[in-house]
Amino acid sequence: MPWGELDQLSYPNPLPSVPPDLCSVPPEILVPAANETLELVLGSQVELNCTVRWVGTEHCQPIPTWSKDGQWLGSGSSQDTVWSGQNSSEQLLASVLQLNLTQDADFGVFACWISNATATFTLRRAEAVGHMPAVLAALLVLVLLVLLAVLYVQCRLNVLLWYRDRYGELEINDGKLYDAYVSHANAPDDRKFIHFIVKPQLENRHGYKLFLDQQNILPNSEPSADLIMNVSRCRRLIVVLSVAYLEQEWCNSSFREGLWRLLELSRKPIFIVFESQYREITHPAITLLKQHRSAVTLLVWRAGSMTPSSDFWKELCLALPRKVSFPAGRSVGDPQTQLQEDKDPMLILHSSYLDSAGDRPDGDLGTGLRGRVFGSPPPPRLGGRRSQAPASSGMEEAQPRDGQRSELDVSDLGSRNYGARTDFYCLVTEDDI
């Protein structure tokens, strides 16, 4: 359609005719540069911009029209703006069509017609991204966090024990004879708890060596000489804070000062309390230990702690030093004691190890038996004693015949200690425990 006829149809008062050389030039579409395809969700708003440029006078002005799917839209559907360019003969026209996509019928192909130039906009409906994937992702993350929390609670102690046993610090060559010094009250319940629960579990199951003491460790709130000596021979300090133990004078009057003394003697002492007194008894000692958890190890004996796999034993083993174990058949005894270069007669097989001259008799009746038990040679026989014995026919008959010799040296029986032993075990029933 010629521009003159379009002007006469669009305006009631036709514009004067212009030279055909100015209006015959087709306009140049600036926006959009090419046909556009837009994917929009339902309920969105969009503005379609169609901008053209042409050269001509203000009387040679093209009229934009819009169509949707081949159907013409009303003249008031768009907002048109005309302005002059850098050159006075250059004119620009911007036509903006605003759409509200509230239903499926609002999508389609929109075309902007300006003279013989056309710009096309294709609107397609895009599927709205629902909240279900986000909800599922959040639930998955929550389940993973809960699973990690459960694994941390259930396996934390096992992982810490494995790491300690594999990469922990070895406490060897430190001159210590025991792994822990255990202080408890001289009460029947405390003795049963130590001798029938703690000691068998730590010594028989885990291989620790314990030094048990039921005396008052802080008489007059000051450590005794025996306490200082005994604690210096142990790597850890364990105190069983039972009801009977808390009745001691230093626990009631000056537990704070006593705690500082214990911290000076042993690094991070271990205190064992029972669940009933931990929750119900408001003793100043229990309150003070709760406030200084970073300086001490506070363990609670609960109803389920009797099980060997309970958390109580795992936490107690974590507080105790790392145990060193040798392959079977390579060595016997406590590796911490054997690895240290100590010449203590109590740590060697024979007292003659210190004196190769062999002038002193062995002081232990079981020395001759140790060769068979531990696979070491028997102690050397002491020379010169047989020549001092009087020669008699009765004594000659008492001597071993056919090269057989006694494996025990009984020369010092009169100087040995035959006091009653106290390191025995008693058989009890479950009701006693």
Side-chain angles (χ1 to χ4, degrees), residues 32-309:
N35 295 335
E36 291 187 359
T37 300
L38 304 177
E39 293 186 358
L40 304 172
V41 297
L42 190 65
S44 60
Q45 297 180 354
V46 64
E47 292 184 353
L48 305 180
N49 183 12
C50 180
T51 303
V52 297
R53 177 180 59 185
W54 76 96
V55 179
T57 62
E58 59 181 0
H59 300 291
C60 184
Q61 180 178 354
I63 303 301
T65 56
W66 290 85
S67 65
K68 175 181 178 298
D69 297 334
Q71 301 294 328
W72 297 101
L73 301 178
S75 58
S77 58
S78 63
Q79 298 178 358
D80 303 333
T81 304
V82 180
W83 70 95
S84 300
Q86 298 178 357
N87 192 350
S88 59
S89 62
E90 185 180 68
Q91 303 292 324
L92 293 99
L93 171 64
S95 180
V96 178
L97 179 63
Q98 295 182 351
L99 300 175
N100 292 326
L101 306 178
T102 58
Q103 54 186 353
D104 293 338
D106 295 334
F107 295 88
V109 179
F110 293 82
C112 175
W113 301 82
I114 301 179
S115 185
N116 55 352
T118 307
T120 304
F121 300 86
T122 302
L123 302 184
R124 296 177 181 176
R125 179 178 177 180
E127 295 295 333
V129 180
H131 300 288
M132 187 59 63
V135 173
L136 293 178
L139 291 177
L140 181 60
V141 172
L142 181 61
V143 170
L144 290 178
L145 292 178
V146 172
L147 181 61
L148 290 177
V150 172
L151 291 177
Y152 175 80
V153 173
Q154 296 294 332
C155 305
R156 177 181 62 90
L157 296 177
N158 294 331
V159 173
L160 292 177
L161 280 174
W162 174 84
Y163 183 83
R164 195 278 308 269
D165 294 339
R166 190 174 181 86
Y167 304 104
E169 178 185 1
L170 291 177
E171 300 184 30
I172 57 178
N173 295 329
D174 53 0
K176 307 293 185 180
L177 303 181
Y178 300 92
D179 293 305
Y181 178 98
V182 181
S183 175
H184 62 94
N186 187 14
D189 293 339
D190 291 39
R191 290 196 300 269
K192 291 180 181 179
F193 177 73
I194 293 298
H195 289 279
F196 301 115
I197 297 179
V198 176
K199 183 176 180 180
Q201 181 73 13
L202 293 182
E203 290 190 345
N204 300 340
R205 184 179 180 87
H206 298 283
Y208 290 106
K209 294 176 63 177
L210 304 180
F211 182 89
L212 307 182
D213 187 9
Q214 60 184 11
Q215 303 298 326
N216 189 350
I217 60 176
L218 292 177
N220 300 323
S221 300
E222 291 293 336
S224 61
D226 293 340
L227 174 67
I228 297 176
M229 180 186 66
N230 293 330
V231 173
S232 64
R233 300 165 60 191
C234 304
R235 298 183 178 92
R236 296 293 187 274
L237 172 61
I238 301 177
V239 179
V240 181
L241 286 180
S242 62
V243 177
Y245 197 96
L246 292 175
E247 293 178 354
Q248 298 181 14
E249 182 181 357
W250 73 274
C251 292
N252 292 322
S253 59
S254 56
F255 184 82
R256 182 182 296 273
E257 291 75 9
L259 179 60
W260 303 145
R261 298 291 187 273
L262 297 181
L263 291 175
E264 295 174 356
L265 296 176
S266 176
R267 66 172 186 179
K268 203 167 186 180
I270 305 168
F271 292 89
I272 300 177
V273 298
F274 297 91
E275 185 177 14
S276 58
Q277 69 184 78
Y278 183 77
R279 293 183 177 180
E280 300 175 1
I281 300 178
T282 58
H283 195 278
I286 304 297
T287 305
L288 185 63
L289 291 177
K290 292 180 181 179
Q291 297 175 355
H292 296 81
R293 280 183 172 270
S294 59
V296 301
T297 300
L298 184 59
L299 303 180
V300 181
W301 176 267
R302 307 180 189 276
S305 300
M306 182 68 70
T307 307
S309 60

Side-chain angles (χ1 to χ4, degrees), residues 327-374:
R330 181 177 177 182
S331 62
V332 181
D334 184 15
Q336 269 91 340
T337 302
Q338 291 188 359
L339 288 179
Q340 63 187 13
E341 298 178 358
D342 198 341
K343 305 307 180 183
D344 193 331
M346 298 300 293
L347 304 180
I348 58 179
L349 299 181
H350 311 293
S351 60
S352 59
Y353 179 85
L354 298 178
D355 188 4
S356 58
D359 295 336
R360 292 176 294 177
D362 293 340
D364 187 2
L365 182 63
T367 304
L369 298 178
R370 288 176 182 171
R372 292 187 177 184
V373 176
F374 296 100

